Amino acid sequence: MLFLDTLRHFPETLAYRDQLVARLGLTGLINLTPDAAQLAARDASNLRWSYDPDGCCAIRKVAPLASALGGFDATITGRKAFQASTRTALPRFEPDTSDGAGRLKINPLAHWDANRLAAHMAAHDLPAHPLVAQGFPSIGCSPCTSRVAPGEDPRSGRWRGWDKTECGIHGPSEGPGPGYDPVF
Ligand code: SF4
């Protein structure tokens, strides 16, 4: 399991990571951090998020993950179609075109709705991220995550005010190709 530590997470996120590792007995967790030289050269002020969030995500998320995925044939994400209008066509399986490696991306929760998710978490006594109860249904780095009002997309609090909906690890879903069976 890979955890992208951008060094800009909420403290609650790091505590939640540790809580899940302990609760689920996870082994082999790898914490990925940005390259120190890249940070020093391109974001020494830690403020790149405020004027170039794409560049900040590239340094803190995309590059560290790309470096770590070389030995993998597939990745599994937790993305759900209901999270945002840009994810409504999210398929369960899609090619990962981020680096030309021919990797498969699997989204097993793509068609789960919020009720099914909540029921599953309750049935298996899975803790929620502590900030969910405080109005943050989708949580990324602290400078780029704001509270969401009732009726808004769950991800509308991410990069609010910017024309940006994804960090660069995932693009807006273009949906499945011909022949895709959504009830697979
Ligand atoms: S979410 Fe914000 S702080 Fe985090 S890497 Fe992207 S721009 Fe930087």
Side-chain angles (χ1 to χ4, degrees):
M1 178 175 288
L2 305 177
F3 179 81
L4 265 174
D5 188 350
T6 63
L7 309 180
R8 302 311 310 268
H9 282 304
F10 291 98
E12 290 89 342
T13 296
L14 303 180
Y16 182 53
R17 171 201 59 191
D18 296 342
Q19 180 188 19
L20 289 178
V21 167
R23 173 77 69 92
L24 302 176
L26 300 177
T27 58
L29 180 80
I30 299 171
N31 283 289
L32 305 175
T33 53
D35 178 77
Q38 281 289 310
L39 276 185
R42 301 177 59 195
D43 195 13
S45 67
N46 280 332
L47 290 174
R48 194 172 192 108
W49 64 270
S50 65
Y51 60 90
D52 177 24
D54 283 341
C56 184
C57 282
I59 299 166
R60 295 174 182 272
K61 292 186 176 181
V62 178
L65 183 61
S67 297
L69 286 183
F72 292 91
D73 295 324
T75 58
I76 302 173
T77 87
R79 291 179 298 165
K80 278 78 69 179
F82 77 83
Q83 291 174 306
S85 59
T86 51
R87 291 188 175 181
T88 53
L90 185 69
R92 286 199 180 93
F93 301 92
E94 61 183 332
D96 181 352
T97 56
S98 60
D99 60 2
R103 195 177 300 113
L104 180 66
K105 190 179 288 187
I106 306 168
N107 309 305
L109 306 181
H111 297 87
W112 286 37
D113 62 19
N115 290 334
R116 183 176 179 186
L117 199 61
H120 184 86
M121 292 181 72
H124 295 278
D125 193 26
L126 296 174
H129 190 297
L131 293 179
V132 171
Q134 297 181 38
F136 299 86
S138 176
I139 299 148
C141 295
S142 58
C144 305
T145 303
S146 57
R147 280 194 173 80
V148 170
E152 288 187 309
D153 270 358
R155 284 177 59 82
S156 61
R158 306 286 296 276
W159 303 286
R160 195 182 285 281
W162 288 89
D163 182 18
K164 176 175 173 65
T165 57
E166 298 283 353
C167 62
I169 294 172
H170 312 297
S173 177
E174 296 175 359
Y180 174 72
D181 179 357
V183 295
F184 169 79

Coordinates of all heavy atoms in Angstrom, one line a residue, residues 6 8 49 52-54 56-57 60-61 141 143-144 159 164 167, ligand 1:
T6 N 2.4 14.3 1.1 CA 2.8 15.5 0.4 C 3.5 16.5 1.3 O 3.9 17.6 0.9 CB 1.5 16.2 -0.2 OG1 0.7 16.6 0.9 CG2 0.7 15.3 -1.1
R8 N 1.9 18.3 3.2 CA 0.9 19.4 3.4 C -0.4 18.8 3.9 O -1.4 19.5 3.8 CB 0.7 20.2 2.1 CG 1.9 20.9 1.6 CD 2.8 21.6 2.6 NE 2.0 22.6 3.4 CZ 1.8 23.9 3.1 NH1 2.3 24.3 1.9 NH2 1.2 24.7 3.9
W49 N 1.4 26.0 -3.9 CA -0.1 25.7 -4.1 C -0.9 27.0 -4.3 O -1.9 26.9 -5.0 CB -0.6 25.0 -2.8 CG -0.5 25.9 -1.6 CD1 0.5 26.0 -0.7 CD2 -1.5 26.8 -1.1 NE1 0.3 27.0 0.3 CE2 -1.0 27.5 0.0 CE3 -2.8 27.2 -1.6 CZ2 -1.7 28.4 0.7 CZ3 -3.5 28.1 -0.9 CH2 -3.0 28.8 0.2
D52 N 0.4 28.1 -8.2 CA 0.5 27.1 -9.3 C 0.2 25.8 -8.7 O 1.1 24.9 -8.5 CB 2.0 27.2 -9.8 CG 2.2 26.1 -10.8 OD1 1.3 25.6 -11.5 OD2 3.4 25.7 -11.0
P53 N -1.1 25.5 -8.4 CA -1.4 24.2 -7.8 C -1.1 23.0 -8.7 O -0.7 22.0 -8.1 CB -2.9 24.3 -7.5 CG -3.4 25.4 -8.4 CD -2.3 26.4 -8.5
D54 N -1.2 23.2 -10.0 CA -0.8 22.0 -10.8 C 0.7 21.7 -10.6 O 1.1 20.5 -10.6 CB -1.0 22.4 -12.3 CG -2.5 22.3 -12.7 OD1 -3.3 21.6 -11.9 OD2 -2.9 22.8 -13.7
C56 N 2.5 22.4 -8.0 CA 2.7 21.9 -6.6 C 2.3 20.4 -6.6 O 3.0 19.6 -6.0 CB 1.8 22.7 -5.7 SG 2.0 22.2 -4.0
C57 N 1.2 20.1 -7.2 CA 0.8 18.6 -7.2 C 1.8 17.8 -8.0 O 2.0 16.6 -7.7 CB -0.6 18.5 -7.9 SG -2.0 18.9 -6.8
R60 N 4.6 17.2 -5.5 CA 4.3 16.5 -4.2 C 3.5 15.3 -4.4 O 3.4 14.5 -3.5 CB 3.5 17.5 -3.3 CG 4.4 18.7 -2.9 CD 3.6 19.7 -2.1 NE 4.4 20.9 -1.8 CZ 5.1 21.0 -0.6 NH1 5.1 20.0 0.2 NH2 5.8 22.1 -0.4
K61 N 2.8 15.1 -5.6 CA 2.0 13.9 -5.7 C 2.4 13.1 -7.0 O 2.8 11.9 -6.9 CB 0.5 14.3 -5.9 CG -0.1 14.9 -4.6 CD -1.6 15.1 -4.8 CE -2.2 15.6 -3.5 NZ -3.7 15.8 -3.7
C141 N -4.8 17.9 0.6 CA -3.9 18.7 1.4 C -4.6 19.8 2.1 O -5.6 20.4 1.6 CB -2.8 19.3 0.5 SG -1.8 18.0 -0.2
P143 N -4.0 23.1 2.6 CA -4.2 24.4 1.9 C -5.3 24.4 0.8 O -5.8 25.5 0.5 CB -2.9 24.8 1.3 CG -1.9 23.9 1.9 CD -2.6 22.6 2.3
C144 N -5.6 23.2 0.3 CA -6.4 23.1 -0.9 C -7.7 22.4 -0.6 O -8.4 21.9 -1.5 CB -5.7 22.4 -2.0 SG -4.1 23.1 -2.4
W159 N -9.5 22.5 -4.1 CA -9.0 23.6 -5.0 C -10.1 24.6 -5.3 O -10.2 25.1 -6.4 CB -8.4 23.0 -6.3 CG -7.3 22.0 -6.1 CD1 -6.0 22.3 -5.7 CD2 -7.4 20.6 -6.2 NE1 -5.3 21.1 -5.6 CE2 -6.1 20.1 -5.9 CE3 -8.4 19.7 -6.6 CZ2 -5.8 18.7 -5.9 CZ3 -8.1 18.4 -6.7 CH2 -6.8 17.9 -6.3
K164 N -9.6 23.5 -11.4 CA -8.8 22.3 -11.2 C -9.6 21.3 -10.4 O -10.2 21.7 -9.4 CB -7.5 22.7 -10.4 CG -6.6 21.5 -10.0 CD -5.3 22.0 -9.4 CE -4.5 20.9 -8.8 NZ -4.0 20.0 -9.8
C167 N -5.7 16.1 -9.1 CA -4.3 16.5 -8.7 C -3.3 16.2 -9.9 O -2.2 16.7 -9.9 CB -3.8 15.8 -7.5 SG -3.8 14.0 -7.6
Ligands
SF4_1 S1 -3.3 19.5 -3.2 FE1 -2.5 21.6 -2.9 S2 -0.8 21.5 -1.4 FE2 -1.3 19.4 -2.1 S3 0.1 19.0 -3.7 FE3 -1.7 19.8 -4.7 S4 -1.5 22.0 -4.8 FE4 0.1 21.2 -3.4

